[in-house]
Amino acid sequence: MSGLAEWTVELILADDEGRRFYLDHYKPFRLAALKQEPDAFGSTYTREINFIEEDWLSRINNPLVKTLVAVHSNDRRVLSATSLIGPLPNRDPASNPFQASTEITGASDQHHNHVEASPLSFQISGVYTVPDARGKGIAKALIKTAVEEAINDAKQQDRKLNLSVIVYASNHAAISFYESCGFVADPAGPRTSFNPHKNRSEVELCMHYRRSAE
């Protein structure tokens, strides 16, 4: 598909241009993904279709969330997306890192003073790529960029890095993908977590970044 040959990885900035891009391009990408592949997400299409503009912009306005997208160079269509959340106060990954980041926004400075020497904890929200753009290395490029962002933040603060991602334990393709990006499964194994958005329990696997992506 030559039409997908040109794409770039970008960080959506929390400025006027970034907010407009988020609403015009990221929002339809997200809603289409939720509708087409509901089992890939912790949220639901029914929930997010009812979001008002303030709800959509809450993530990009959150200073602890960096939203990374791969966009088509011609029409600016979003092909793939992920988010890097942190630094988070708890090194144990959250099933819903966005909620965790929202709860600590505004209190991060106080937390930082108490844990100056502790590892800097980040979490990747997971990556989703539209079906017609898969198999082209786009998702791996996004994860590589997110990893580099986290590594640079930790280096700037002279801290060790604790970077993780949560996947469904039954999603063997996702587990293999993150392994190829330098993540390893937590030795504690799968855990069960209740998802209030779907009103059911999910079996999750925590994976930690351990080496540079190939």
Side-chain angles (χ1 to χ4, degrees):
M1 300 243 342
S2 59
L4 294 176
E6 299 296 332
W7 51 270
T8 57
V9 173
E10 300 178 10
L11 171 66
I12 305 179
L13 300 177
D15 55 16
D16 289 342
E17 182 179 354
R19 293 184 183 95
R20 181 48 51 194
F21 176 86
Y22 201 88
L23 294 173
D24 291 347
H25 295 277
Y26 180 83
K27 176 183 175 182
F29 159 83
R30 171 79 177 181
L31 289 175
L34 286 167
K35 192 172 186 178
Q36 294 168 6
E37 299 189 51
D39 291 339
F41 299 89
S43 186
T44 66
Y45 175 83
T46 302
R47 172 176 175 258
E48 297 197 14
I49 191 63
N50 293 307
F51 279 3
I52 61 175
E53 184 173 295
E54 182 180 357
D55 295 324
W56 283 106
L57 294 178
S58 63
R59 288 185 180 179
I60 193 173
N61 289 331
N62 186 333
L64 299 182
V65 177
K66 293 181 178 179
T67 300
L68 296 160
V69 292
V71 297
H72 193 286
S73 300
N74 293 329
D75 58 15
R76 303 291 292 161
R77 179 167 65 103
V78 177
L79 304 175
S80 185
T82 191
S83 292
L84 177 68
I85 304 99
L88 297 168
N90 192 339
R91 62 178 295 131
D92 294 327
S95 298
N96 188 340
F98 291 107
Q99 180 178 343
S101 68
T102 300
E103 292 171 351
I104 67 171
T105 299
S108 57
D109 289 342
Q110 180 180 358
H111 170 75
H112 176 74
N113 291 335
H114 288 298
V115 291
E116 199 72 31
S118 66
L120 207 59
S121 295
F122 287 88
Q123 190 170 338
I124 292 175
S125 65
V127 62
Y128 178 83
T129 305
V130 296
D132 63 335
R134 293 173 185 171
K136 305 176 186 300
I138 297 177
K140 183 165 283 190
L142 273 178
I143 295 301
K144 180 180 179 182
T145 302
V147 167
E148 290 173 348
E149 288 276 342
I151 289 174
N152 289 337
D153 281 357
K155 284 183 177 179
Q156 288 174 7
Q157 297 189 37
D158 196 23
R159 310 258 297 272
K160 293 182 178 180
L161 175 65
N162 177 47
L163 175 62
S164 60
V165 64
I166 294 287
V167 299
Y168 292 128
S170 60
N171 192 339
H172 301 296
I175 294 172
S176 295
F177 167 74
Y178 286 109
E179 286 176 340
S180 74
C181 293
F183 289 78
V184 298
D186 191 299
R191 69 185 191 186
T192 301
S193 177
F194 181 74
N195 184 338
H197 302 313
K198 294 185 174 181
N199 194 33
R200 70 188 188 199
S201 294
E202 309 277 9
V203 181
E204 305 170 335
L205 181 66
C206 176
M207 302 187 72
H208 303 281
Y209 180 73
R210 289 290 180 264
R211 61 177 174 80
S212 298
E214 299 296 337

